[in-house]
Amino acid sequence: MKYTQFIWSTIISIIIIASYATPSFAATSSVQLVINSQKIQTDAPPVNVNGSNMVSLSSLESLGLHLQWDAKGQKVTVRSSSNRNSLSVAVGERVAQFGTQSFPLQTPPILKNNRVLVPVRFISEAFGAEVIWNSADRIVMIRSAEQQSNYKTLYQGADLVKARQIAIDLPSADQPIYNSTDEEIIYAYHFPEGEALRYYDYEGNHVSYYEIANDVKSLVWEAVVDEKGRYIKEHGKRPVSDSSTVYFRKHRIDNGVDYGRVGDKKSYTGEAANGTLAQIIMKIPNEVRTDQLQSLRQAREAVLNMRTVSLGTELPTVGIQTLIRYFPIGKSDVYFDATDDLITYYKIENNKRYEIWSANYKMDVPAKHKELPFFPYHITKEIGKRPTITTPVAYYVYRGAISDLRYGLIDLQGKETELGHTDPAQTKQYFPVSKEELALLK
């Protein structure tokens, strides 16, 4: 188990975060810190120390943390209104105290340019926050405990109404430079059909186009429209027109809503609850969400950086030639790792990776398992509780020696369908998600 995870982490780390192999103490001013969708302008640039992202302590106050600095003892005490336990860490010390428990630190807090820098993952996770490191874009995303369900709905939820309402309410630091000049202002939102992560916001004759990526909502383009629908002023990069768009338009004098597909003769009517603009989003008949490809891929990649809680017993293994990872379709919170003679099942909870079951198997001995229809080999020894998988799975076969990734689907009869073949060192994608997988969720 530990060996399997170590091998996987080592292989991926070589490719994904090769920058960690450079100097052990490296300034990373290009790293962006995002907390609950807000870009944090820190009073000291983030620093990477031995593979750990270190941020200024004060930057974490946006998580609702209360900080107390003991200059004499060079000790920090962190408290949260949502957790009665306090966290104590000292500059240079490799052990942190959280409540009555002691935890080892991979990298201790440091004092740099009169600023205390702390390991962002450990401090955040101690108070229930989720930490995601996007190595390609060099972004650290932190989601507080109370916001995590919203992000899951935003990125992965099948309920388009809820996902779109969350998208609209997401904060954005970008301010439009134009205003509406329409005296009778009517509010409306347009979304590409099946999507929630980008949309148009209409306020009279002013339109703003937003996109959400890495938890940040950005204003990409805006324009002022004349009576004939022409853009008389515009700023930013105009998006390409979508083949199908849905709209939600609030009545000017009450909470009534018109909505439907742009271009359709048939429209629908409803009423916005409480009169808030996000509540004008209604369910479009026969509309199915289609934009979870990127968000599901990112969620699967996020498990690589999570801490592992093992079963405590290790099964023997002969080593690794090929590494395979299996995810039940549409899932990122449970998965299997398999090497040449060992398979391990993990479950994600509280931003940790819990080892639930592990087994040795013989690859050259075929077998059928009613609990694991995708796994065709004879299991010889196992520990923990064997899971039951009742859906097809997405698989990823990785050969690190030649940087080769093969992926596809396995149905409940064990039939494998290969969907792609890439070099992850070039694409920087280690868990591509296919439209074929999402189609199985409908």
Side-chain angles (χ1 to χ4, degrees), residues 371-428:
E371 306 96 336
L372 308 174
F374 68 91
F375 194 69
Y377 307 118
H378 176 62
I379 293 173
T380 59
K381 184 179 181 181
E382 58 187 316
I383 57 175
K385 183 179 180 181
R386 185 188 297 189
T388 297
I389 303 301
T390 58
T391 66
V393 300
Y395 71 84
Y396 303 90
V397 181
Y398 183 75
R399 295 178 175 87
I402 57 175
S403 188
D404 177 77
L405 175 65
R406 181 169 58 84
Y407 61 95
L409 299 171
I410 303 175
D411 66 18
L412 291 177
Q413 286 70 49
K415 180 181 178 182
E416 177 182 321
T417 302
E418 184 172 327
L419 298 174
H421 194 276
T422 68
D423 177 359
Q426 298 297 321
T427 63
K428 304 301 181 184

Side-chain angles (χ1 to χ4, degrees), residues 17 19-29 31 45-55 107 110 117 133 138:
I17 49 177
S19 60
Y20 286 174
T22 56
S24 60
F25 185 91
T28 54
S29 58
V31 171
V47 169
N48 183 271
V49 181
N50 298 326
S52 293
N53 280 315
M54 311 285 285
V55 300
T107 306
I110 60 175
L117 304 182
W133 166 237
R138 302 191 64 76

Side-chain angles (χ1 to χ4, degrees), residues 129-169:
E130 179 182 19
V131 181
I132 299 172
W133 166 237
N134 182 335
S135 59
D137 297 325
R138 302 191 64 76
I139 298 174
V140 177
M141 291 166 280
I142 304 177
R143 302 164 182 170
S144 61
E146 64 274 11
Q147 291 296 325
Q148 288 168 30
S149 62
N150 278 344
Y151 284 107
K152 187 171 183 179
T153 299
L154 173 67
Y155 289 120
Q156 301 174 41
D159 190 333
L160 270 171
V161 173
K162 290 183 179 179
R164 285 169 173 169
Q165 289 173 343
I166 292 170
I168 289 169
D169 284 337

Side-chain angles (χ1 to χ4, degrees), residues 54-81:
M54 311 285 285
V55 300
S56 68
L57 189 61
S58 60
S59 67
L60 297 179
E61 290 180 326
S62 298
L63 276 174
L65 302 181
H66 308 288
L67 316 172
Q68 182 178 348
W69 168 240
D70 176 5
K72 183 177 180 180
Q74 293 198 323
K75 183 178 180 180
V76 178
T77 301
V78 186
R79 293 182 173 84
S80 169
S81 57

